[in-house]
Amino acid sequence: VDPSAKKQQNIVKNKAEKKRKEKEVDVDSDSDEDKLIFKALPAEITMKKQVIRGKIIRERWMHDNGLEALFKLIKRQKWENLFKRRELMHVAACKEFYKNLTVSISKKKEVARSCVKGVKIEFDGMILAGILGVRGNNGICEYINNVWEESTYCKPLEITKKFTNDNLITVATRVISTEMKLFQRLLHFIIMKNVVLRFGKRDTTSFMDLTYMDHMLMRRLVNLPRVMLRHMAYVISVPCHELPYGDWLTLVLEAYNVPLVDKQGEEPKCYDRFEETFLSMCQLKREHAI
């Protein structure tokens, strides 16, 4: 591990630990009637699920391949440092985190509680933001999944027109990403593989994906920590969804001093880089990713 990177990681950990001690999560700020509580499915279901990590996005590669505009959208959100990290992924610890996870959701905040190797873990969006080094105090966090209904932020028909590039369309409908412009397709892939992290076909879009894409294109903020917490709440409550954010959870576990063994962690593979996606979409040769 690069000493400078390790030093920066320790600084982030210390800041997160300090913030955690200074501010206990106030879970009683909302009435019980306003809360939704999500609990993990039985352990045998959770432990069979696959842990997945986000795509690694390197600024230099983006610039060298004419994707400066796309990277600027990432920088506007203050995600660039998080997206380029190459954390080890501790699969067993991540599965234990999700096996014991409960998430309470209200209008004001989300709170996650779990226990890994006997260490209790409890955080809300602001604490998670401090651990990950991203914004956490504003931005959209609406988790609308596949429901194509008018939301607080976007109207389905307007979204459909924008991403189908067809102003004559009269009914809101699912947008096939292969019909989008390449820039929009790449942005959709970033949302699907880093923000609302999941497996799935690249041509499958949801209204939530398009809403976040629209916010990024309009230079409006997306509250990544709160979106992550809401996504975690969803994935632990359904049997068929993978366990997301495996690499970023390493930062959370380290911030709470959960004992981890480096040799048990998984290094990122070549297909964990954003370059591989770009090349396959553009049908370019692999040498261009170097």
Side-chain angles (χ1 to χ4, degrees):
V1 179
D2 184 356
S4 61
K6 192 69 174 177
K7 182 178 179 181
Q8 182 63 30
Q9 184 176 336
N10 289 333
I11 292 174
V12 172
K13 284 172 55 180
N14 292 336
K15 285 182 178 179
E17 183 69 16
K18 183 178 179 181
K19 179 176 283 190
R20 182 167 66 90
K21 290 179 179 179
E22 289 176 351
K23 175 190 173 185
E24 291 293 328
V25 178
D26 181 13
V27 295
D28 297 320
S29 59
D30 298 299
S31 65
D32 289 339
E33 291 78 10
D34 295 332
K35 292 179 186 174
L36 292 174
I37 307 296
F38 293 82
K39 296 182 179 180
L41 294 171
E44 58 268 22
I45 296 177
T46 302
M47 298 304 284
K48 289 180 180 179
K49 292 185 175 184
Q50 184 175 355
V51 180
I52 56 177
R53 66 161 75 232
K55 293 293 181 180
I56 298 169
I57 300 177
R58 298 183 299 144
E59 181 175 7
R60 180 178 176 181
W61 187 91
M62 299 283 276
H63 281 275
D64 290 347
N65 287 274
L67 297 175
E68 295 92 340
L70 185 59
F71 195 77
K72 283 182 180 178
L73 296 182
I74 295 172
K75 292 187 72 172
R76 172 71 179 90
Q77 301 291 332
K78 300 294 185 184
W79 296 342
E80 68 274 16
N81 290 329
L82 179 63
F83 284 9
K84 72 180 181 182
R85 298 188 70 108
R86 298 168 176 265
E87 305 300 326
L88 295 175
M89 186 168 71
H90 295 267
V91 174
C94 287
K95 287 187 176 183
E96 186 178 354
F97 171 84
Y98 279 108
K99 180 188 72 172
N100 298 323
L101 180 62
T102 62
V103 183
S104 64
I105 296 179
S106 67
K107 291 182 179 180
K108 295 181 180 179
K109 72 163 95 174
E110 302 75 31
V111 179
R113 295 186 182 87
S114 187
C115 182
V116 180
K117 297 184 178 181
V119 179
K120 291 184 178 181
I121 299 171
E122 183 175 320
F123 57 86
D124 61 6
M126 286 301 296
I127 294 176
L128 182 58
I131 294 172
L132 300 181
V134 297
R135 285 193 180 107
N137 57 345
N138 48 31
I140 182 178
C141 63
E142 193 166 327
Y143 195 90
I144 44 188
N145 208 1
N146 286 318
V147 180
W148 285 72
E149 297 177 356
E150 188 163 327
S151 72
T152 307
Y153 302 95
C154 297
K155 296 180 179 180
L157 182 56
E158 292 179 0
I159 285 283
T160 302
K161 287 181 178 180
K162 182 173 291 189
F163 290 100
T164 56
N165 303 301
D166 182 3
N167 291 325
L168 299 178
I169 196 168
T170 59
V171 179
T173 184
R174 182 180 298 276
V175 180
I176 305 301
S177 65
T178 51
E179 298 175 358
M180 297 179 185
K181 298 175 182 177
L182 178 61
F183 187 90
Q184 294 173 336
R185 291 175 62 195
L186 293 171
L187 182 57
H188 171 245
F189 196 78
I190 289 173
I191 295 296
M192 189 173 73
K193 295 301 183 182
N194 286 71
V195 180
V196 190
L197 180 56
R198 62 193 187 275
F199 275 163
K201 296 180 180 179
R202 296 174 189 169
D203 61 352
T204 302
T205 65
S206 70
F207 182 47
M208 178 168 56
D209 294 337
L210 301 180
T211 300
Y212 295 153
M213 290 167 62
D214 183 58
H215 267 63
M216 292 184 69
L217 289 169
M218 298 301 293
R219 272 67 174 177
R220 296 192 294 261
L221 298 179
V222 176
N223 193 319
L224 179 60
R226 294 191 65 185
V227 170
M228 289 175 61
L229 283 164
R230 288 172 178 247
H231 190 44
M232 288 178 183
Y234 172 72
V235 303
I236 63 173
S237 61
V238 295
C240 57
H241 206 296
E242 307 83 12
L243 305 177
Y245 314 119
D247 47 347
W248 297 350
L249 276 177
T250 296
L251 300 175
V252 175
L253 299 176
E254 289 178 343
Y256 284 84
N257 297 315
V258 175
L260 300 173
V261 181
D262 282 350
K263 66 180 181 179
Q264 295 178 353
E266 293 185 5
E267 294 275 2
K269 308 293 191 301
C270 65
Y271 50 77
D272 292 319
R273 299 198 304 259
F274 180 77
E275 294 96 293
E276 298 295 317
T277 303
F278 175 78
L279 293 175
S280 63
M281 284 185 174
C282 297
Q283 298 181 340
L284 299 177
K285 293 183 179 180
R286 187 187 180 106
E287 302 89 75
H288 295 159
I290 300 175

